[in-house]
Amino acid sequence: MLALATAGFAVNFWAWALLSPLGPRFKDSLDLTSFEQSLLVAVPVVVGSLGRIPVGALTDRYGGRVMFPAVSAVTIVPVLYLGLFGHTSPAGLLAGGFLLGVGGTAFAVGVPFVNAWFPPARRGLALGVFGMGMGGTAISALTTVKLVDAHGMADPFLLTAAVLAAYAVLAALVLRDAPGRTAPAEPPARRLAAALRLGVTWQASALYAVAFGGYVAFSVYLPTYLKTGYGLSQAAAADRMAGFVLLAVAMRPVGGWLADRFGPVRVVAGSLAVVLAGAFAQATTPPLASTGTVAFLSMAAALGAGSGAVFALVALLVPAGSVGSVTGVVGAAGGLGGFLPPLLMGSLYGHYGSYGLGLVLLGLVAAAALAFTGTGVRRAVTRAAPAAAN
């Protein structure tokens, strides 16, 4: 069940990230400004993020067995639209990107589904393994541009739609919810309201907005950054973005495992410290062959590990019947954390001709999150589960 859920997350994230590697191409072919290009790749992120709130609540009610095939099937529609019709105009791309956001909601299906299958002591690692599905963005980065160059614009979209359809059928036939799962009796709105009253919901949301939001921001904007800031070709920039994504993906279960052993607070704090250092190092636009590569890969590892540790915190402190609702809110915060930076980076580059200030702002946000982790979050974890802080 964990493998099937991870595969579903990866396939839907593959679809969710289809526009990002093509951003520079659309900028040239449709004569987009830097801000318009940033908006194009950010729209699926914000829709997928906000959509996690209702989808998480629905998963608490109907379970992953119903919701995984449903989300995958619905995502096929915008994928086909973009591949066949929507890529010829800015308005068509924005409309298709808006609907493509549905694929990003798969995260809010998988977390409560996986959480129910594992005991508390193993949930950090299990959710970290599930989180490796975010590597679907690497599949998109490695294949989309190459398929377009070889076969035309429609090819990667048609391939992704076929994989989504195959997964939807497989999930409908094979996926099963954990034994003993009981659907909450309360209406979704009431359960969502209860989740919003939990302190851990807001604490985890703030941390996830930085950790996973940073990952999403880099995964959608890094090709543009590398092409504009370092003069790389579109294919070379996409390949390097894939390397960033794969390292972050590999570190997510490591972060969950470390959180199971040493407590999520320590792991999140260490991850944020690395992001802080990496952001300030990259703000000077150092040579990519040495310092730049080290800075980016260090931040990738830290963002992946931190994302895994945040959901170890959720699994530790949230009641079982509320995991879906809380996951929806926290996941939305993470996605929204990835929506704003590409827009900000595009605007800053258009105004100053440099990305340095944007990276300085990332470092300052990481510093604030680090201080919050060491004070408010640590106190909350110590009160609720003293062993987690040790």
Side-chain angles (χ1 to χ4, degrees):
M1 293 302 106
L2 175 58
L4 280 172
T6 305
F9 184 23
V11 168
N12 280 277
F13 252 44
W14 176 6
W16 196 40
L18 278 171
L19 293 181
S20 173
L22 298 173
R25 183 183 297 259
F26 290 134
K27 183 179 188 295
D28 294 337
S29 64
L30 299 175
D31 195 26
L32 304 177
T33 67
S34 294
F35 178 80
E36 288 171 338
Q37 180 187 353
S38 301
L39 181 63
L40 170 65
V41 299
V43 163
V45 174
V46 70
V47 175
S49 304
L50 294 175
R52 292 174 185 178
I53 297 175
V55 168
L58 289 170
T59 303
D60 279 342
R61 178 67 180 86
Y62 296 106
R65 182 184 181 184
V66 171
M67 294 301 296
F68 256 127
V71 168
S72 301
V74 171
T75 305
I76 294 172
V77 176
V79 169
L80 289 177
Y81 167 76
L82 284 166
L84 298 176
F85 311 108
H87 62 268
T88 58
S89 70
L93 285 170
L94 285 175
F98 183 90
L99 297 174
L100 194 63
V102 173
T105 67
F107 178 76
V109 178
V111 170
F113 176 83
V114 171
N115 190 75
W117 275 99
F118 290 86
R122 297 175 61 196
R123 285 175 183 163
L125 177 58
L127 291 173
V129 171
F130 167 74
M132 293 179 72
M134 68 188 190
T137 55
I139 300 175
S140 178
L142 289 170
T143 62
T144 302
V145 174
K146 294 179 177 64
L147 287 170
V148 169
D149 289 341
H151 304 289
M153 183 61 69
D155 205 65
F157 294 90
L158 294 175
L159 174 61
T160 307
V163 176
L164 282 167
Y167 178 78
V169 172
L170 177 65
L173 294 175
V174 179
L175 211 61
R176 295 292 182 270
D177 289 307
R181 191 191 86 85
T182 57
E186 299 87 357
R190 186 177 300 174
R191 283 184 282 113
L192 178 59
L196 293 174
R197 289 194 294 269
L198 295 173
V200 66
T201 302
W202 299 105
Q203 292 160 351
S205 293
L207 298 179
Y208 204 60
V210 179
F212 186 71
Y215 161 80
V216 170
F218 278 120
S219 69
V220 301
Y221 200 72
L222 197 54
T224 300
Y225 177 95
L226 293 174
K227 184 175 184 294
T228 305
Y230 286 96
L232 299 185
S233 68
Q234 185 179 354
D239 287 344
R240 283 164 174 76
M241 186 271 271
F244 181 98
V245 168
L246 289 172
L247 180 56
V249 167
M251 287 301 296
R252 184 149 182 164
V254 174
W257 175 75
L258 289 171
D260 285 340
R261 286 178 59 89
F262 303 110
V265 170
R266 287 182 176 179
V267 180
V268 172
S271 299
L272 291 170
V274 173
V275 173
L276 170 62
F280 279 118
Q282 186 58 33
T284 61
T285 316
L288 188 60
S290 53
T291 307
T293 297
V294 172
F296 275 123
L297 292 182
S298 297
M299 287 191 286
L303 292 169
S307 297
V310 170
F311 268 92
L313 180 71
V314 171
L316 181 69
L317 300 181
V318 175
S322 299
V323 171
S325 298
V326 173
T327 295
V329 177
V330 176
L336 290 174
F339 170 73
L340 294 176
L343 297 179
L344 182 63
M345 293 288 275
S347 297
L348 289 173
Y349 186 84
H351 190 71
Y352 297 105
S354 170
Y355 291 117
L357 181 57
L359 286 155
V360 169
L361 291 174
L362 171 62
L364 293 176
V365 170
L370 176 59
F372 177 59
T373 301
T375 54
V377 176
R378 180 178 292 277
R379 285 195 298 269
V381 171
T382 302
R383 287 196 301 267
N390 297 324

